[in-house]
């Protein structure tokens, strides 16, 4: 185990591929984005030090988000194949720079053709894939929950909530707005996660935002580090470029911000991760040992009435490719189910 190492939440700009005239142009731009990340990591390590061992990249750093493309259209234009050249290039970035690298991208899976998932993939410093997590909560994109029965058949529950045991500690990924859902981080923590790698593209603000509050809360309540990397703006699209900027930070298991980036591209959010000290605190009895005091079975039963139903894209066991409007319709139906169940009401 590497007891103390440095980690970096790399705040880098996202050059989106939405306006690319064809698939070949989009793929060329993605390759250029990955090459640019390689250069930034190399330069950052020279400044931060050779004990920089972990780098977390922002959400969809190489492509941007779909912005109205159809599901199959975006899959063809921007999603990475699990064995494709984009992941090969990222593995080489990790290997060449001798760092663990946490990436986030839209990804296709041959088990679920014509759709994509949003995936956080972690490479070790030899370029091996050590973790693949698919985002579980998304308003406008397919998730494992939408194909739940088949997904469990293929990957099992440990593939839904994976934790990688590495020399840098037990690593887990939380994607984007999922930091707002304590159940996801808790599920990973109860499988041993010590370091949450959070790729995000979120609204920047000088005030505390919901996501920024959540980063501190998820760290404290799970006795874990949070390494959160935000985009330094999304370029080559119509939204104001710097809408998603700043906010990259590293939070310790007490909810304290150890390092934080300001606006723009930045390597300022780096800090020491002390796994040995963290494990000592996790084994210390007392009121502050949150994980040891959790009545898990009671919490599981309390969550049982949740209204969102699984397998929305597997009617009759056959995969259905959704339209964007389907996700909004499903949310409206879930809200009505919550009202019927008495979760929402005006009495």
């Amino acid at each position: 185990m590497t007891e103390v190492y440095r980690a970096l939440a790399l705040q880098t700009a996202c050059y989106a591929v939405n306006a690319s005239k064809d698939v070949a142009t989009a793929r060329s731009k993605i390759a250029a984005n990955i090459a640019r990340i390689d250069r930034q990591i190399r330069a950052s390590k020279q400044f931060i030090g050779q004990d920089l061992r972990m780098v977390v990249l922002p959400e969809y750093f190489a492509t941007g988000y779909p912005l109205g493309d159809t599901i199959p259209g975006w899959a063809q234009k921007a999603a990475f194949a699990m064995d494709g050249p984009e992941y090969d290039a990222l593995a080489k970035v990790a290997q060449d720079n001798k760092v663990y690298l946490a990436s986030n991208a839209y990804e296709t899976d041959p088990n679920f053709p014509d759709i994509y998932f949003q995936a956080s993939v972690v490479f070790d410093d030899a370029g091996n894939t050590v973790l693949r997590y698919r985002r579980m909560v998304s308003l406008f994109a397919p998730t494992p929950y939408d194909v739940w029965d088949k997904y469990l058949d293929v990957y099992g529950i440990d593939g839904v909530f994976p934790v990688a045991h590495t020399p840098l500690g037990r690593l887990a990924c939380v994607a984007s707005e999922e930091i707002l859902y304590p159940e996801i981080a808790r599920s990973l923590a109860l499988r041993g996660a010590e370091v949450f790698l959070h790729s995000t593209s979120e609204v920047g603000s000088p005030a505390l935002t919901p996501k920024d509050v959540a980063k501190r809360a998820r760290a404290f309540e799970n006795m874990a580090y949070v390494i959160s990397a935000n985009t330094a703006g999304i370029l080559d699209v119509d939204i104001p470029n710097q809408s998603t900027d700043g906010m990259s930070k590293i939070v310790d298991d007490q909810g304290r911000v150890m390092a934080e980036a300001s606006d723009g591209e930045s390597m300022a959010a780096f800090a020491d991760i002390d796994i040995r000290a963290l494990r000592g605190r996790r084994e210390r009895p007392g009121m502050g040992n949150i994980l040891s005091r959790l009545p898990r079975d009671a919490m599981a039963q309390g969550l049982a009435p949740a209204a969102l139903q699984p397998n929305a894209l597997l009617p009759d066991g056959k995969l259905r490719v959704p339209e964007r409007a389907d996700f909004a319709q499903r949310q409206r139906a879930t809200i009505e189910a919550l009202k019927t169940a008495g979760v929402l009401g005006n009495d």
Side-chain angles (χ1 to χ4, degrees), residues 59-229:
E59 184 182 13
Y60 45 65
F61 72 97
T63 64
Y65 62 97
L67 275 173
D69 278 82
T70 65
I71 300 294
W74 188 250
Q76 185 180 28
K77 178 190 290 183
F80 298 2
M82 294 173 67
D83 59 352
E86 294 85 7
Y87 281 137
D88 288 343
L90 287 168
K92 191 172 188 304
V93 171
Q95 183 180 34
D96 289 350
N97 290 286
K98 296 182 174 58
V99 296
Y100 278 64
L101 183 64
S103 67
N104 181 276
Y106 296 95
E107 172 181 277
T108 55
D109 184 329
N111 295 291
F112 304 95
D114 298 321
I115 65 171
Y116 54 77
F117 301 107
Q118 190 177 349
S120 291
V121 176
V122 180
F123 304 92
D124 69 13
D125 51 9
N128 302 304
T129 301
V130 296
L131 188 149
R132 169 171 273 106
Y133 168 76
R134 267 76 176 266
R135 178 173 169 174
M136 286 291 295
V137 178
S138 181
L139 187 58
F140 295 115
T143 74
Y145 196 62
D146 295 323
V147 291
W148 187 239
D149 289 345
K150 184 175 180 180
Y151 201 90
L152 287 178
D153 287 344
V154 174
Y155 294 109
I157 194 63
D158 289 335
V160 176
F161 297 110
V163 176
H165 294 232
T166 78
L168 304 189
R170 298 177 181 180
L171 309 178
C173 291
V174 178
S176 187
E177 66 169 342
E178 288 187 326
I179 201 73
L180 299 173
Y181 292 80
E183 297 83 0
I184 290 177
R186 181 55 54 81
S187 295
L188 294 164
L190 292 177
R191 286 167 170 78
E194 298 167 325
V195 183
F196 293 128
L197 312 175
H198 179 229
S199 296
T200 184
S201 183
E202 64 189 67
V203 172
S205 171
L208 277 176
T209 64
K211 282 188 178 181
D212 219 31
V213 171
K215 294 171 193 179
R216 294 160 168 82
R218 301 297 86 81
F220 177 78
E221 69 198 12
N222 293 297
M223 306 181 73
Y225 287 99
V226 172
I227 305 171
S228 178

